[in-house]
Amino acid sequence: MAVGLLLVCLTGLVFSEEPPGVKCLVVNVEYIQCMWNGSATPGVNYTFYSRFENGFKECDNYVLENTTIVGCDHTYEELITKRFSEFTTKLKLGNRSFEQFHELKSKVQLNAPVNLTAMNGSDLNLWYYWNYTCNTECIESEVRHRINGKEWKNILLRRNYYCINLPSNSYLYELQVRGRIHDTCGESDIWSEWSPPVFWGSYGTDVKCLVVNVEYIQCMWNGSATPGVNYTFYSRFENGFKECDNYVLENTTIVGCDHTYEELITKRFSEFTTKLKLGNRSFEQFHELKSKVQLNAPVNLTAMNGSDLNLWYYWNYTCNTECIESEVRHRINGKEWKNILLRRNYYCINLPSNSYLYELQVRGRIHDTCGESDIWSEWSPPVFWGSYGTVTNKPRFFFTVQKAILYVVGPIVFFIMVIVLVRNERIRVILIPVLPDPGKNLAKILAEDNVEEWLPISKGIKEGFKMNYIERVCSVGDYSRNPQSTSESSADLNSFDHSSGSCASSVATN
């Protein structure tokens, strides 16, 4: 009883949900494909039936997604004409079924065109041809083509060929085709997929290869511009071609390949062949790698004071070979470079001066006894020595910035001082005393006791020369001495009237 209730509940849960919608296509006018997993894979397996006029027929070829039935491919004879009739589908689950009606006239999807080829015609034009696998002639084609990976141009045709007049071998022509049933046979709303592209020409196929640090071969084909298509790259020395094991991308476009070969130091003397493949076309190219080795820039460049008072530079390479020559360039105080070729990893400057700034860089390449390379490595980062008597990696401009600051700040400070002196007269008089210029009125100035008029100063400062106190006049009387006796003389002196010769002290008037 409990099991029965559980089944009833589960059945009620299943049928309480909306049945999946069925979408049908007439595929290449060969069979009808109906799918019911548009929104999601259903959780149950339906039984599928379909019909035109007669009774329902169960699907003869179910489509599975994992273990779940999600569609049906059903064949009907004379489908090219039957598609104008109403088509009915039925999904059945248990004792319930869901019917749906379909209009198939505009739901025909052809397979993509096949055997698309490009040929040079006797008229010097470029001709494209293609075919369809559909058993009908009611097809229109859409051709799209572009040159050098630029903008597509689209053309509608009701034939299976297309012509480009007088093409140039230096351009890359790309063409694709798709088809559908045209309007005279009941136009379909659905185009086929685009055919695989067909290419003609050689734009973007110039491959340039380098042996990088005698570790791997890097081949690039984006010298003039990023190609508009993705090539497949193959290369070889003596044996068969091997596809690239590490493509180089520019955004999402393949523009090169980094390919490792064992014993590359000796293999680079052999002829190297590359092949770019695009669709049914391939472009082979031969390369001479002996002179195309580019080392990495030297590392660990250091400067040291030796016990002999000389300045010694040392550096290393990451390349697994001793066939390297180095080019050293150095200069003093940022002047002209001097270049020296060496076959060792050190360099000496005799008795350097701490008051000079020494700058040095190094680069390297494979020398002539091991098959000279035409390509130098990049210059190492510069190493500086001097000025402060220590090794430094500070660039030359660090020392010139201080001078530049002085040249800028100095005039600004001077200008500010001039403004202060002009606007503050008291400071100007203190710092720059004014010399008197009495001129022609010297006698008058002295007579009037008006010495401050000598000075060409402002009225405010002149006020400082005026007296701010009054001094009373002190009268002094004279007396004559008569010859008398000593006692009388003393008495006379003591009897002097001090009232006539008295003086008052100064009184401030402030």
Side-chain angles (χ1 to χ4, degrees), residues 301-319:
L301 177 60
T302 55
M304 298 176 60
N305 277 323
S307 58
D308 54 0
L309 301 181
N310 296 327
L311 178 60
W312 291 87
Y313 293 90
Y314 300 91
W315 59 90
N316 299 108
Y317 291 94
T318 59
C319 172

Side-chain angles (χ1 to χ4, degrees), residues 243-475:
E243 187 179 351
C244 177
D245 51 12
N246 185 22
Y247 283 107
V248 179
L249 298 180
E250 189 172 284
N251 296 326
T252 59
T253 304
I254 298 174
V255 296
C257 172
D258 294 341
H259 205 132
T260 304
Y261 283 92
E262 296 179 359
E263 300 177 359
L264 195 52
I265 192 66
T266 56
K267 280 190 175 182
R268 67 187 179 90
F269 293 93
S270 305
E271 188 175 68
F272 184 65
T273 308
T274 62
K275 179 170 67 173
L276 284 177
K277 192 171 182 182
L278 191 61
N280 58 353
R281 290 180 62 86
S282 61
F283 312 93
E284 291 191 10
Q285 194 171 338
F286 303 99
H287 305 266
E288 175 62 55
L289 296 182
K290 183 186 73 173
S291 60
K292 301 300 180 183
V293 180
Q294 184 174 35
L295 304 179
N296 292 339
V299 295
N300 302 326
L301 177 60
T302 55
M304 298 176 60
N305 277 323
S307 58
D308 54 0
L309 301 181
N310 296 327
L311 178 60
W312 291 87
Y313 293 90
Y314 300 91
W315 59 90
N316 299 108
Y317 291 94
T318 59
C319 172
N320 189 22
T321 178
E322 297 180 356
C323 302
I324 301 177
E325 67 176 342
S326 300
E327 182 179 12
V328 172
R329 70 176 184 181
H330 70 94
R331 60 182 176 180
I332 301 175
N333 295 336
K335 296 182 179 178
E336 186 178 359
W337 289 105
K338 293 183 179 179
N339 293 56
I340 302 101
L341 288 177
L342 304 168
R343 292 195 179 177
R344 58 179 185 264
N345 288 19
Y346 59 89
Y347 179 67
C348 174
I349 295 178
N350 294 322
L351 302 174
S353 171
N354 288 336
S355 61
Y356 292 161
L357 179 66
Y358 297 85
E359 179 182 359
L360 185 137
Q361 288 179 283
V362 187
R363 64 179 182 177
R365 69 174 178 181
I366 301 294
H367 59 63
D368 54 4
T369 58
C370 297
E372 185 178 65
S373 176
D374 298 333
I375 305 171
W376 286 96
S377 73
E378 298 293 331
W379 288 104
S380 67
V383 165
F384 298 85
W385 187 94
S387 292
Y388 301 105
T390 57
V391 178
T392 175
N393 285 322
K394 295 180 180 178
R396 175 67 180 170
F397 72 87
F398 176 82
F399 302 103
T400 60
V401 166
Q402 297 177 349
K403 293 183 180 180
I405 293 174
L406 291 176
Y407 291 151
V408 173
V409 174
I412 293 175
V413 173
F414 177 76
F415 183 70
I416 293 173
M417 292 180 64
V418 170
I419 293 175
V420 170
L421 291 176
V422 170
R423 298 183 64 86
N424 197 317
E425 192 172 5
R426 290 183 179 272
I427 295 177
R428 187 175 74 248
V429 170
I430 293 172
L431 296 178
I432 308 175
V434 181
L435 296 177
D437 184 15
K440 297 181 181 180
N441 299 321
L442 177 60
K444 181 179 178 181
I445 292 172
L446 293 176
E448 295 179 358
D449 195 20
N450 195 12
V451 178
E452 63 270 18
E453 294 295 333
W454 290 18
L455 304 176
I457 56 180
S458 66
K459 182 177 180 180
I461 296 179
K462 287 181 181 180
E463 293 296 331
F465 287 94
K466 293 184 179 180
M467 294 182 298
N468 57 359
Y469 64 92
I470 300 174
E471 185 176 348
R472 295 178 181 177
V473 179
C474 179
S475 300

Side-chain angles (χ1 to χ4, degrees), residues 99-153:
E99 291 189 9
Q100 191 173 339
F101 302 100
H102 305 267
E103 175 63 56
L104 296 182
K105 183 186 73 170
S106 60
K107 302 302 180 184
V108 180
Q109 185 174 35
L110 304 178
N111 291 339
V114 295
N115 302 326
L116 177 60
T117 56
M119 298 177 59
N120 278 322
S122 58
D123 55 358
L124 302 181
N125 295 328
L126 179 59
W127 291 87
Y128 292 90
Y129 300 92
W130 60 91
N131 298 110
Y132 291 94
T133 59
C134 173
N135 187 22
T136 178
E137 296 180 357
C138 301
I139 301 176
E140 68 177 343
S141 300
E142 182 178 12
V143 172
R144 70 176 185 181
H145 70 94
R146 60 182 176 178
I147 302 175
N148 295 339
K150 297 182 179 178
E151 186 177 359
W152 290 104
K153 293 183 179 179

Side-chain angles (χ1 to χ4, degrees), residues 20-24 32-48 59 61-73 91:
V22 179
K23 293 184 178 180
C24 296
I32 299 174
Q33 182 179 77
C34 294
M35 304 292 292
W36 50 90
N37 64 337
S39 57
T41 302
V44 293
N45 282 327
Y46 292 93
T47 305
F48 179 80
C59 177
N61 185 22
Y62 282 108
V63 179
L64 298 179
E65 188 174 282
N66 295 326
T67 58
T68 304
I69 298 174
V70 296
C72 171
D73 293 342
L91 284 177

Side-chain angles (χ1 to χ4, degrees), residues 471-503:
E471 185 176 348
R472 295 178 181 177
V473 179
C474 179
S475 300
V476 179
D478 294 334
Y479 63 91
S480 60
R481 177 180 296 181
N482 295 323
Q484 294 178 357
S485 63
T486 303
S487 59
E488 293 177 351
S489 298
S490 301
D492 292 338
L493 289 172
N494 292 329
S495 63
F496 175 74
D497 186 3
H498 290 278
S499 62
S500 61
S502 63
C503 294

